[in-house]
Each structure stands twice: as C-alpha cells, then as structure tokens.
Amino acid sequence: MAKILFVMTGADHWTLQDGTLHPTGFWAEEAVAPYEAFKDAGHEVVVATPGGVVPTVDKGSLAPEFNGGEDGAAAMARSLETFDELREPVELEEVDLDGYDAVFYPGGHGPMEDLAVDENSGTLLVEALDRGTPLGIVCHAPAAMLAAIREDGGNAFAGYRVTGFTNAEESQVGLADKAAWLLQDRLVQAGVDFQEGEAWDPHVVVDRQLVTGQNPASAAPLAEELLNKLA
C-alpha cells in the first residue's frame, strides 16, 4: 500500500484582472476520479492545504452539465461525501515528503489564487522532482509549478514536457479576457515545454516521474498513469 499526498487549494475565489473575486475552489472530478482510483487500488490518501483549511469545492463542478446530467451530478456529490480525508486536511507547511510515495495536485481555478505563489508548495515540488517521487498535476493545478523556484532563480520544471488548462479552454469558459494571467502563457514563460491537446479531450503527458493532465477529462487517465508508477 502506498501513501499518496493530495495537495489542494485552500482558496475559495480567484481574483480577476479588475479585482473581482470569482467564486471557485477545487474541481470535483479532478479530485474524486483520482481519489477513487487510488483507494480502489488499496492506497492511502492524505489531503494537505495551505494552513490546513478544509478545501472548498467549486460549485460549478457539481452542475449537471459538467457531470453528464442529473444522475452524474448526484453521483459526484455522493462521492464527495465519502471523501472523508477532505474534511481532515493536514497543514501543507508541516508536510514531510519522507512519509509519502506519490504526490497529486487536483485543479480548479483555486490553485491560480494560492498555490501559484505558495513557497511551501513550491519547495515540496522541487523536493519531489529531486527525489524522483511520482508526481501528478492536472488542469489548473500546474499553476503550482510557478512557485517551484530553485536557489539559482530558475524554475524546477523548465525543460519538462507539461500540459495544463489551455488558453483556448479558458477562452471557451469565458474567463480568458477577465483573467489577470493565463496558465499556459505563464508556464511557457517559466520554460516548460507546453503540450497542448484538443480542447476538452483527455490529454495526459508523462515526462520522467511527472504526469500532467490538461483538463477535467484528463484526471482519470492521469490517475492510471500515476498508479503505473507506483506498481
């Protein structure tokens, strides 16, 4: 049995370019699908957030249109109810990577607000890369890579093949023009080799121990790739 650390946003909003606070949090499918895959495989999950706050689900991610209809939405809500670890997060600041076999970051717009500038998360990511710890990051959560800065000032993920929520997808949800910055742009500026797939289709990129997914539909296949690295 492996022990997998879920690093999750503690934010319940995303500050837009004009200062408006856009309600958000984590995206349900991106947490639930990997959680269920890992638990079904017999692994232990621990949730960590900045300050140990209980993470907020983006209410939009529970809507029928994002879950294949009313039945899917109800099933997603039930799955969240059984995700007991969400209600007992540890403080990210106190995490010791020695205790974990893999690390996973689910998305939602929340990470754009807090994990993108969280030094503790950045330090953990650098350490995970240096140790060769299997690392999965999906959708908007690659924003956390922006805080993974080495002592020489370079980004630890520079040169890695990475995917994440694209400019095209942000445009299609109507937030690209309102955002203070776009994830794809910032990742490219940080030196990563950004791999863009078709909008909304599952797209997973594997580079060394790093597994990234582009969007919510990529969360389940990403989890399978991460499980392969734990086998």
Side-chain angles (χ1 to χ4, degrees):
M1 182 181 75
K3 192 173 182 180
I4 303 172
L5 179 70
F6 271 48
V7 180
M8 300 184 66
T9 179
D12 61 5
H13 66 273
W14 177 32
T15 305
L16 301 179
Q17 189 171 16
D18 65 359
T20 299
L21 303 185
H22 176 71
T24 186
F26 71 90
W27 197 260
E29 181 180 1
E30 295 170 23
V32 166
Y35 174 77
E36 292 182 339
F38 298 151
K39 295 291 279 191
D40 287 348
H43 301 312
E44 179 183 355
V45 168
V46 174
V47 172
T49 62
V53 302
V54 175
T56 298
V57 64
D58 187 317
K59 290 183 173 57
S61 68
L62 299 176
E65 57 264 36
F66 293 117
N67 292 284
E70 294 286 352
D71 290 346
M76 184 63 70
R78 287 195 299 271
S79 292
L80 278 178
E81 284 298 313
T82 65
F83 194 157
D84 294 331
E85 293 88 345
L86 281 175
R87 290 176 285 280
E88 297 179 351
V90 300
E91 294 184 17
L92 179 58
E93 298 82 353
E94 302 300 324
V95 167
D96 182 348
L97 199 56
D98 281 342
Y100 299 94
D101 302 289
V103 179
F104 173 68
Y105 279 66
H109 281 105
M112 301 278 281
E113 183 73 20
D114 60 355
L115 297 181
V117 294
D118 191 290
E119 293 184 3
N120 294 293
S121 172
T123 298
L124 184 146
L125 286 170
V126 172
E127 186 177 353
L129 287 184
D130 290 346
R131 291 183 176 210
T133 302
L135 176 61
I137 312 178
V138 68
C139 201
H140 285 93
M145 296 180 185
L146 301 174
I149 306 300
R150 295 195 179 278
E151 290 183 2
D152 64 3
N155 191 284
F157 290 91
Y160 275 79
R161 293 170 58 250
V162 168
T163 192
F165 204 68
T166 64
N167 291 353
E169 288 165 324
E170 203 72 83
S171 294
Q172 290 175 32
V173 298
L175 288 169
D177 292 340
K178 301 175 183 179
W181 51 276
L182 295 175
L183 178 61
Q184 181 175 350
D185 291 346
R186 282 285 180 90
L187 289 173
V188 170
Q189 291 168 11
V192 309
D193 180 5
F194 192 89
Q195 307 282 307
E196 181 174 358
E198 291 296 320
W200 309 112
D201 286 350
H203 180 57
V204 174
V205 174
V206 181
D207 188 345
R208 287 157 277 185
Q209 86 268 34
L210 175 65
V211 186
T212 51
Q214 180 171 314
N215 47 35
S218 306
L222 182 155
E224 291 306 314
E225 290 289 350
L226 205 59
L227 283 171
N228 289 340
K229 292 189 174 296
L230 289 169

